[in-house]
Amino acid sequence: MKIQEEVKETVKKALGKMNNKIDQVVWVGAGGSFGGFYGANYFMEQESKKISSHMFTSGEFIYATPKNIDEKTLAVLCSMRGTSETIDSAKVAKKMGSTTIGLYVDESGLTETCDYIIKYDSLALDESRIDRVNASIGICVAMNLLNEVEGYDHYKAAMAAFDVLDPMYRKAFEYTTPLAKEWAELNKNQKTIYILSSGPTFGAGYIFSICNLEEMLQLNAPTVHSYEFFNGPFEVTDKSKSFFQLLSTGRTRPEDERALKFEQRFGGKKLYVLDGKEIGLDDLEPHISEYFNHPIFSSILNNVYMRQLSYVIHEDFNTRRYMWKESYK
């Protein structure tokens, strides 16, 4: 069964349980599972007129649960192996009357708790299909939810796009690998890399920062919004700094281009640009292209750029100093 069909069936079941009465959808997770929902949340914020959409880290959802979480709330939660706080978030959502959908790789307390579950492929595995990673499934949930409740004019084109996501990624992988090798060599002695992005790519930039560079390679990697760059962070710009600018396809691209223009004036040779138009996103219809920025960018950043930097600095990206080793409960 195609992922579009599985998601459509699951969303219909969830809405049926809710008697088709829904006011909001909340996206809950931790780390990459949280960041992976940026694309889905961005889509709902842009396209839905009736359903409000909000993102929460698992811990925040437990300790500061919004009072409007109720039976008209659909809670979509994600955890690869069953993060304890995400499991507890599912329990909190259900206690408050919400219907829950859990995205998972390994079965855990999350799959036992949620009303409905969808298995996804780990983005980090070469054999995984990009249309089946958590970010893609989140976007598919959002698109099906909107179509079922309000109707979505570009639904057919959007569902067809999931069929070309994996080939698009494979082509982009080949294209960016030699470019990433050059970037990695240039940054092999850099201890801080600034990641800039906005709109539909902000989540990919966030994950590249906290999950890829900071967690996996133990480098400093501030995440900067391309517009907010001019409200403080641009003061650090000089020719010694390393900037990694993501250029999205879609309506917020001018924010990224504005930041890039400044970086080109005052930055140095360690300024790098990854453009969505170069990695295939412009091949999709303009009305839907921006909503697929996240899964393509995030997959390339993790599986190409992070890996190439790992190779040149001789830092195994599977090494951790604290995660899974020290107590941080």
Side-chain angles (χ1 to χ4, degrees):
M1 180 185 294
K2 288 185 177 182
I3 191 61
Q4 305 96 303
E5 297 167 353
E6 182 180 353
V7 169
K8 181 178 181 179
E9 184 178 299
T10 301
V11 169
K12 280 191 171 185
K13 288 179 180 178
L15 287 172
K17 182 177 181 296
M18 301 171 73
N19 296 315
N20 292 308
K21 295 179 180 180
I22 180 172
D23 288 337
Q24 67 174 336
V25 56
V26 295
W27 313 90
V28 185
S33 296
F34 168 74
F37 280 139
Y38 266 99
N41 188 61
Y42 179 81
F43 172 84
M44 291 300 295
E45 288 180 333
Q46 297 302 311
E47 296 289 346
S48 181
K49 296 178 180 179
K50 300 177 182 178
I51 307 170
S52 62
S53 180
H54 309 280
M55 287 178 64
F56 299 95
T57 64
S58 301
E60 196 164 303
F61 191 80
I62 296 168
Y63 295 117
T65 313
K67 292 182 179 179
N68 65 354
I69 303 297
D70 57 19
E71 67 280 355
K72 293 183 180 180
T73 301
L74 175 64
V76 187
L77 307 100
C78 178
S79 180
M80 180 180 286
R81 302 181 183 90
T83 301
S84 60
E85 292 86 358
T86 307
I87 296 169
D88 289 343
S89 292
K91 293 177 180 177
V92 168
K94 291 195 70 174
K95 183 177 180 181
M96 298 185 74
S98 302
T99 295
T100 54
I101 297 176
L103 310 187
Y104 74 101
V105 172
D106 296 331
E107 293 185 358
S108 67
L110 183 67
T111 56
E112 295 173 0
T113 302
C114 289
D115 298 303
Y116 306 99
I117 55 176
I118 302 173
K119 186 177 177 66
Y120 69 89
D121 290 354
S122 171
L123 176 150
L125 300 178
D126 291 333
E127 62 269 24
S128 294
R129 289 183 55 85
I130 300 307
D131 52 309
R132 289 185 171 272
V133 300
N134 61 319
S136 297
I137 293 175
I139 293 166
C140 197
V141 168
M143 289 176 167
N144 275 278
L145 180 61
L146 180 70
N147 192 57
E148 290 293 329
V149 177
E150 303 178 35
Y152 177 37
D153 291 342
H154 307 292
Y155 178 75
K156 288 185 178 179
M159 292 301 103
F162 284 94
D163 292 332
V164 302
L165 277 188
D166 197 67
M168 182 187 296
Y169 161 73
R170 304 293 167 185
K171 185 176 179 180
F173 186 102
E174 294 298 323
Y175 171 76
T176 56
T177 294
L179 303 176
K181 288 180 179 179
E182 294 179 7
W183 170 79
E185 190 64 32
L186 192 62
N187 286 274
K188 64 183 179 182
N189 297 316
Q190 204 73 14
K191 298 302 180 185
T192 301
I193 300 174
Y194 293 87
I195 315 301
L196 288 92
S197 57
S198 74
T201 62
F202 188 76
Y206 172 78
I207 292 173
F208 187 43
S209 173
I210 75 161
C211 296
N212 298 155
L213 299 183
E214 293 180 336
E215 176 190 329
M216 296 180 177
L217 302 183
Q218 293 88 56
L219 296 173
N220 299 314
T223 307
V224 182
H225 190 284
S226 296
Y227 177 78
E228 287 297 279
F229 179 61
F230 296 101
N231 294 285
F234 72 148
E235 290 293 344
V236 304
T237 307
D238 61 40
K239 288 180 171 54
S240 70
K241 299 296 193 303
S242 179
F243 291 97
F244 197 113
Q245 176 72 60
L246 306 186
L247 285 184
S248 64
T249 60
R251 291 164 292 174
T252 68
R253 185 180 174 91
E255 292 188 328
D256 301 326
E257 292 175 331
R258 180 191 177 204
L260 177 60
K261 184 178 179 180
F262 185 90
E263 293 153 16
Q264 289 172 329
R265 285 178 63 199
F266 298 104
K269 63 181 181 179
K270 292 179 182 176
L271 165 62
Y272 187 83
V273 183
L274 183 59
D275 192 338
K277 291 184 177 182
E278 289 189 76
I279 55 177
L281 284 158
D282 239 21
D283 293 341
L284 298 176
E285 292 184 19
H287 295 297
I288 63 171
S289 174
E290 66 180 318
Y291 300 130
F292 292 94
N293 273 264
H294 184 107
I296 294 297
F297 268 100
S298 196
S299 301
I300 291 297
L301 290 169
N302 184 92
N303 296 335
V304 180
Y305 288 87
M306 184 279 292
R307 290 185 187 180
Q308 291 302 327
L309 187 56
S310 170
Y311 302 151
V312 299
I313 65 175
H314 307 293
E315 183 73 45
D316 183 355
F317 56 81
N318 291 310
T319 300
R320 302 292 185 273
R321 297 170 64 193
Y322 309 114
M323 187 173 286
W324 309 308
K325 294 180 178 181
E326 300 292 337
S327 174
Y328 42 95
K329 295 296 183 183

